[in-house]
Structures are given as structure tokens and as C-alpha cells.
């Protein structure tokens, strides 16, 4: 009887496996052919299919229904991977499964990239398929005994789990370069391997942080706090200078940025570990001073680790120097678990979207100028302590295609473009308008710092380039780096004039260290950072 049951399972199992292999050819970029992959990767694919087919047949009691269900899930992953590759230059990895839940909580940030029509069609087709299979295909339990059914499906799932385990043991370590790993081992093997690497990884050692010593309470420096400058560090959403990349952009678009860049005491290009999104990768590097390599497999969403494991940060270093530390982010505090992460990084106060009004919106999100006003009010109410304010803007966050460009704004953004705009210019025009608002925010924050009696330091950088696939396809993609600069309200000594300080290209994890040095006049590792005098010998 068991033989008959296994025979009835073999045809859907085989056909499903063939389609599972064929669906990988839909990936872009496409993985290497089966015969060019390591044998262990093919063993993992076979084991994955047996495991999923066995489990879903056990759950649904209908093998053909299980085949369609599992293949549908694979298609969702394939489509998600293609969309992510197109917009973020990175395929789907194991860490991305949690974003399906985020897509439910924050659909505006995710569903439009997948395609609203496609999402509705897929959901509808899924509902129809479920109903149809439940009605048409008879349950195996009704045809065979429950014991035999459990034995056969359990055997398939168990065999699949063994094959996956054997394959993973022989596969070897991943490079943690998602494009390369997907090409080399295929979708199923890369998902499993990244998941195992994530489970086996450890959080970074707090003592390895460049801010570890300076974050100790005993590290408070001796100068009077009245002499210390207020410090504002702005992570401007999707900020980069598009003019060298696209000659059609108005040369006067970023007037305040140009003036500040000329005056900046430090400036250059910032190498950021993100493209188009994944803001927290850059944000984490800037705040913790740790390069992505220090996180291992946790680098793709380091805030999940930081929500449970605190680390020294540039904020904790400033707090140890007597600063009040504030984070301003005009979006729900729970997104990326920042409500847990920011306290772990030693921010005293976290100001989220609840501190703003609907009238503060400009486009889809809270506008940059509203955020600048908030920063200005914080600088006025400094309770006699210097402030370190870290700002995470939102205005220029995509999806940009949900906004329509207007002809009246083209003179300031794309002065030579004809109306109606060509397809490759529509999202770009929307982006450039909001980029102009970021430029005005820069001027407003500088004014707020200049109006205080206390000196001021402004750090400014972009977290990544924007998502503009049509424009990139037409003009060629930019390098992916973003500008950074550190500007001061204090007069610069002649030997340190900006004209004598050529731009320096740095990595994102170096920016906070550069900022600290500009504020205190020495590297963070300098022995000057000592709160208490050296013990004196007793006579």
C-alpha cells in the first residue's frame, strides 16, 4: 500500500522538481547552469524540493496542490529578486524574508516596486487556485490510511532535510557578495547558505569598536562644556550630486551645497555599502564606525543585531563628553526597530514622526524643511549642554514614480527638457525637486547653527544614490558613492583653509571618527580623552 501511495506522489514530485529548476532561469541575473555549479549546490536544490514538497503535501493532503503552492512561493521569491536586482543591484537573500512582513506594515515602501497590479493579480490567482484545488483534488487521507500518508510524506521531508544538511556541509563558505554567490550556487543553495551563515555568526565585539574607550564614563574630557560646539550630523535621504552624472540637470540646483562644500573643513566622496535603499547599512557604518566586514553575515541588516546587542557609537562618545544626544527621524519609530536601536546606540532622545504634523509633509513624506525647523528648535533649547543631533531625513525616499512631475518645476531642475517628459526623465524630475528641498534644508540648518552663541559643526552625507532605473538605463549608472562634508561656524585658521584641504574619499565607517576629530581637535584614540588625571604617587 505504501508503494502505491509513493507512486501517486512521484509524478507531481518529479514535475514540480523540473519546474523548480526551470524557474531559476527566470532570475536576472541568471545563476550558472546546473552543470557549472558545485555538486553540493545541486544536492541542496534537490533536498529543498523534497523537503518543501513533503511538508506541504503533509499540510494540504493534496500533492498537486502542494506542487502549485510551492512553485508559486518560488515565483514570488524570483519576482522579488528580479525587482531587487533592478532597483538595488542585489538579488534576494535569506535576510529579505522578513521584509515580507515589513511590506504589510509599510506597503508604500515596498509594494509599488513589486507592482501593485501584479501584487493584486497574484493574490487573486492564489485565492482562486486554493479554492479550486481544495474542491477538485481529493485528499490522500481519504484514499489511503492516515498512517501510510504520514509515513510517505514524512519520508520525503526527512530525506530532503538530510540532503540539505549534507549539501551545506560540503558547499563551503559564501563570499557574502550576493550577486556572485547566487550565480555560483543558485537560488536555493544561496538562501540556505546565507541563513546558516547568519545563524552561526556572532555580534561584533563591543571592545573592537573604535568608540569603545571614548564611550566610557571616565572618558569625559576636561574643557568647559560651554566651549564645545553643537554638532548636527545629517543623513540626507538618497542625496548625491547628479550634475556630473547627468548633463541635463540644472547647474544651479544645489547652490547651498556648492557653497558649503567650498567652505567645508573636510569633504569628499563617501563609499557607502548600499545602493538605492538599505539605508541602515550606511547608517550603521557611520554611527558604529564598523565596516560591513566586521558584521559578517549580519551586515545586510545590522539593526536586527543592534536591537538586542548594544555597541559603542559616535553618539556614546559624544555623550561621554557631556553632550545631550538626540536622533530625529520623521517616520514611525518601529521601522527597522529604531525605537530599540537608538537607545542601544546611546541616544538620549528619539524624535519620530509623532512629533510632526500632517502639514509638514512635502510629497509622500515629512519634508526636509520641516525637519530643519525641528533641528532649529532643538538648538534653541539646549539646556546649557552641547547637543549632538543625528538627523535621518525621509523626503526623497522612493518610490518616486508615485509622484507626478510638474512642468512648473522644470526650470529649476531640468531646464532644457521638453514637456511632456520622456519616460526616463519622469522619476528623475521628481527626485531633483526633492533634492532641491534638501539643499534648502542644508542652508536652514547652517543658519540655525550660526544663530546660536555656541559654535556649531555640521556633518552632511547621503546614505545612497536614489532608485532611478529608467534614468540609469538611459544615462548609465552613477558610481554609487555619495558626497560628504564637515562644516564649521568657527573661522578656519589660514593653514587649514578649505582651499588647502583637497577632497578626501573615505568609507562610511570613517565619517564619525572624522567628525569627532573636528569637534575635539584630536583623534578619538588620543590619550587626551581622559576624564580623570593620572594618579599621583604618594609621598
Amino acid at each position: 500500500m505504501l508503494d502505491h501511495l509513493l507512486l501517486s506522489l512521484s509524478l507531481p514530485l518529479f514535475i514540480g522538481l523540473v519546474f523548480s529548476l526551470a524557474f531559476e532561469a527566470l532570475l536576472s541575473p541568471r545563476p550558472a547552469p546546473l552543470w557549472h555549479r558545485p555538486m553540493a549546490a545541486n544536492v541542496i536544490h534537490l533536498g529543498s524540493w523534497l523537503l518543501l514538497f513533503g511538508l506541504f503535501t503533509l499540510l494540504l493532503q493534496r500533492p498537486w496542490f502542494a506542487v502549485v503552492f510551492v512553485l508559486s512561493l518560488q515565483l514570488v521569491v524570483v519576482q522579488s529578486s528580479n525587482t531587487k536586482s533592478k532597483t538595488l543591484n542585489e538579488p534576494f537573500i535569506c535576510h529579505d524574508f522578513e521584509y515580507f512582513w515589513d511590506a504589510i506594515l509599510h506597503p508604500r515602501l515596498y509594494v509599488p516596486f513589486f507592482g501593485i497590479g501584479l501584487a493584486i493579480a497574484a493574490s487573486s490567482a492564489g485565492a482562486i487556485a486554493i479554492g479550486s484545488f481544495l474542491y477538485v483534488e481529493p485528499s490522500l487521507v481519504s484514499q489511503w490510511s492516515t498512517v501510510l500518508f504520514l509515513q510517505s510524506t514524512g519520508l520525503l521531508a526527512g530525506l530532503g532535510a538530510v540532503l540539505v544538511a549534507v549539501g551545506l556541509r560540503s558547499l563551503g563558505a559564501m563570499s557574502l557578495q550576493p550577486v556572485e554567490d547566487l550565480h555560483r550556487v543558485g537560488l536555493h543553495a544561496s538562501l540556505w547558505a546565507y541563513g546558516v551563515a547568519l545563524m552561526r555568526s556572532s555580534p561584533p565585539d563591543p571592545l573592537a569598536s573604535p568608540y569603545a574607550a571614548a564611550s566610557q564614563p571616565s572618558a569625559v574630557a576636561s574643557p568647559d562644556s560651554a566651549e564645545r560646539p553643537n554638532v548636527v550630523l545629517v543623513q540626507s535621504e538618497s542625496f548625491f550630486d547628479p550634475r556630473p552624472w547627468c548633463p541635463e540637470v540644472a547647474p544651479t540646483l544645489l547652490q547651498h551645497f556648492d557653497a558649503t562644500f567650498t567652505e567645508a573643513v573636510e569633504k569628499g566622496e563617501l563609499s557607502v555599502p548600499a545602493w538605492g535603499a538599505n539605508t541602515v547599512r550606511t547608517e550603521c557604518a557611520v554611527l558604529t564606525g564598523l565596516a560591513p566586514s566586521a558584521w559578517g553575515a549580519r551586515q545586510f541588516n545590522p539593526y536586527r543585531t543592534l536591537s538586542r546587542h548594544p555597541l559603542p557609537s559616535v553618539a556614546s562618545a559624544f555623550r561621554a563628553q557631556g553632550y545631550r544626544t538626540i536622533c530625529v527621524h520623521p517616520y514611525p519609530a518601529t521601522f527597522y526597530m529604531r525605537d530599540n536601536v537608538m537607545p542601544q546606540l546611546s541616544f538620549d532622545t528619539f524624535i519620530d514622526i509623532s512629533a510632526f504634523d500632517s502639514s509638514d509633509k512635502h510629497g509622500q513624506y515629512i519634508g526636509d524643511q520641516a525637519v530643519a525647523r525641528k533641528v532649529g528648535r532643538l538648538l534653541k533649547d539646549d539646556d546649557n549642554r552641547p547637543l549632538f543631533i543625528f538627523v535621518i531625513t525621509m523626503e526623497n525616499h522612493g518610490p518616486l514614480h508615485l509622484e507626478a512631475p510638474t512642468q512648473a518645476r522644470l526650470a529649476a531642475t531640468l531646464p532644457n527638457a521638453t514637456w511632456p517628459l520622456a519616460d526616463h526623465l519622469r522619476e528623475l524630475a521628481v527626485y531633483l525637486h526633492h533634492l532641491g528641498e534638501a539643499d534648502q534644508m542644508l542652508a536652514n540648518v547652517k543658519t540655525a547653527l550660526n544663530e546660536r552663541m555656541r559654535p556649531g559643526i555640521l556633518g552632511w552625507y547621503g546614505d545612497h544614490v536614489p532608485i532611478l532605473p529608467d534614468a540609469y538605463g538611459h544615462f548609465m549608472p552613477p558610481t554609487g558613492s555619495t558626497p560628504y562634508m564637515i562644516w564649521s561656524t568657527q573661522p578656519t585658521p589660514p593653514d587649514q583653509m578649505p582651499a588647502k584641504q583637497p577632497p578626501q574619499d573615505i568609507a562610511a565607517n570613517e565619517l564619525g571618527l572624522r567628525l569627532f576629530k573636528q569637534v575635539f581637535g584630536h583623534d578619538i584614540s588620543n590619550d587626551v580623552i581622559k576624564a580623570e588625571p593620572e594618579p599621583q604617587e604618594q609621598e
Side-chain angles (χ1 to χ4, degrees):
M1 222 172 184
L2 179 60
D3 293 340
H4 291 291
L5 183 56
L6 290 176
L7 186 62
S8 65
L9 294 174
S10 60
L11 182 60
L13 186 152
F14 176 75
I15 291 179
L17 176 61
V18 171
F19 274 93
S20 175
L21 293 168
F23 283 177
E24 283 204 347
L26 301 176
L27 285 165
S28 178
R30 185 178 297 178
L34 292 175
W35 50 92
H36 288 163
R37 301 181 198 176
M39 179 59 69
N42 295 330
V43 170
I44 292 172
H45 190 118
L46 174 60
S48 299
W49 176 253
L50 291 174
L51 176 60
L52 291 172
F53 177 78
L55 290 178
F56 278 96
T57 301
L58 175 63
L59 177 65
L60 302 173
Q61 304 176 20
R62 295 161 175 82
W64 288 108
F65 187 10
V67 167
V68 173
F69 195 90
V70 175
L71 291 178
S72 297
L73 294 179
Q74 183 177 343
L75 277 177
V76 170
V77 173
V78 168
Q79 177 62 30
S80 300
S81 183
N82 290 346
T83 300
K84 188 183 175 196
S85 294
K86 179 182 178 182
T87 56
L88 309 184
N89 288 355
E90 181 181 288
F92 192 93
I93 58 177
C94 175
H95 307 57
D96 295 329
F97 281 111
E98 67 177 297
Y99 292 135
F100 287 123
W101 178 246
D102 283 340
I104 297 174
L105 298 179
H106 306 279
R108 176 180 286 273
L109 296 182
Y110 296 94
V111 175
F113 292 113
F114 187 81
I116 297 176
L118 182 59
I120 294 174
S123 301
S124 301
I128 294 172
I130 290 173
S132 299
F133 276 100
L134 287 175
Y135 179 77
V136 174
E137 187 179 9
S139 167
L140 288 181
V141 176
S142 65
Q143 303 177 56
W144 310 96
S145 71
T146 302
V147 173
L148 287 177
F149 172 74
L150 294 176
Q151 287 177 341
S152 58
T153 53
L155 178 63
L156 289 174
L159 177 60
V162 170
L163 290 176
V164 169
V166 170
L168 287 171
R169 180 171 297 182
S170 306
L171 186 62
M174 294 289 100
S175 69
L176 299 183
Q177 300 296 320
V179 174
E180 296 177 11
D181 291 330
L182 175 67
H183 177 77
R184 185 173 67 89
V185 302
L187 179 63
H188 289 71
S190 65
L191 291 176
W192 279 105
Y194 272 60
V196 170
L198 181 62
M199 289 188 295
R200 292 177 176 173
S201 65
S202 300
D205 183 359
L207 295 179
S209 167
Y211 299 108
S215 298
Q216 298 300 316
S218 61
V220 178
S222 56
D224 185 357
S225 64
E227 300 176 4
R228 299 175 189 148
N230 289 318
V231 180
V232 179
L233 178 60
V234 178
Q235 177 176 275
S236 183
E237 173 62 35
S238 300
F239 188 94
F240 88 120
D241 186 356
R243 293 169 297 181
W245 159 71
C246 177
E248 296 189 31
V249 177
T252 57
L253 178 67
L254 298 176
Q255 297 181 56
H256 301 298
F257 167 79
D258 291 338
T260 308
F261 199 80
T262 300
E263 301 166 357
V265 294
E266 281 201 57
K267 57 195 174 186
E269 287 293 305
L270 195 69
S271 175
V272 295
W275 174 287
N278 291 311
T279 295
V280 294
R281 299 182 189 178
T282 302
E283 188 177 315
C284 178
V286 171
L287 292 177
T288 67
L290 295 175
S293 58
W295 294 84
R298 297 170 182 253
Q299 66 184 270
F300 301 105
N301 185 358
Y303 275 15
R304 177 157 294 282
T305 296
L306 279 175
S307 67
R308 301 186 301 274
H309 303 279
L311 279 178
S313 70
V314 64
S316 62
F318 273 103
R319 188 160 76 171
Q321 304 297 311
Y323 276 73
R324 183 158 67 100
T325 55
I326 303 172
C327 179
V328 180
H329 180 45
Y331 204 66
T334 55
F335 189 54
Y336 271 117
M337 300 169 286
R338 285 190 178 96
D339 55 332
N340 294 323
V341 170
M342 292 306 165
Q344 299 277 50
L345 292 175
S346 298
F347 282 98
D348 299 317
T349 306
F350 181 29
I351 298 173
D352 74 339
I353 195 172
S354 61
F356 296 85
D357 299 324
S358 58
S359 59
D360 291 327
K361 291 185 68 174
H362 188 84
Q364 303 177 69
Y365 307 101
I366 299 298
D368 285 355
Q369 294 198 47
V371 177
R373 291 192 294 271
K374 178 66 69 177
V375 172
R377 289 192 289 269
L378 290 170
L379 291 171
K380 290 179 181 179
D381 182 24
D382 61 5
D383 72 1
N384 296 320
R385 284 189 293 168
L387 294 179
F388 172 69
I389 305 174
F390 178 57
V391 182
I392 310 164
T393 71
M394 276 297 294
E395 179 177 338
N396 224 346
H397 201 293
L400 297 168
H401 67 268
L402 295 185
E403 292 185 56
T406 59
Q407 188 174 7
R409 295 171 176 169
L410 291 185
T413 56
L414 296 167
N416 298 320
T418 58
W419 189 266
L421 288 174
D423 289 343
H424 68 276
L425 294 178
R426 291 182 60 81
E427 291 182 16
L428 177 60
V430 173
Y431 168 75
L432 294 176
H433 166 67
H434 292 302
L435 192 65
E437 294 293 301
D439 188 57
Q440 186 59 51
M441 174 188 173
L442 172 60
N444 294 347
V445 173
K446 287 173 61 179
T447 298
L449 286 168
N450 273 317
E451 289 175 346
R452 299 296 94 213
M453 294 294 295
R454 188 185 295 276
I457 296 285
L458 171 63
W460 183 280
Y461 69 97
D463 53 349
H464 50 68
V465 297
I467 298 175
L468 297 168
D470 292 337
Y472 296 155
H474 184 85
F475 295 111
M476 298 297 291
T479 61
S481 62
T482 64
Y484 81 92
M485 54 188 172
I486 299 174
W487 173 88
S488 174
T489 62
Q490 297 173 297
T492 305
D495 61 333
Q496 299 178 19
M497 290 296 291
K500 298 183 179 181
Q501 302 294 326
Q504 298 183 48
D505 297 346
I506 63 173
N509 57 290
E510 299 178 68
L511 180 57
L513 302 173
R514 299 292 185 100
L515 184 67
F516 188 95
K517 183 177 180 180
Q518 285 296 332
V519 173
F520 296 102
H522 54 72
D523 290 327
I524 201 166
S525 59
N526 195 299
D527 289 337
V528 174
I529 312 175
K530 290 185 178 179
E532 302 174 359
E534 294 290 341
Q536 302 295 317
E537 292 186 7
Q538 299 293 326
E539 295 184 358

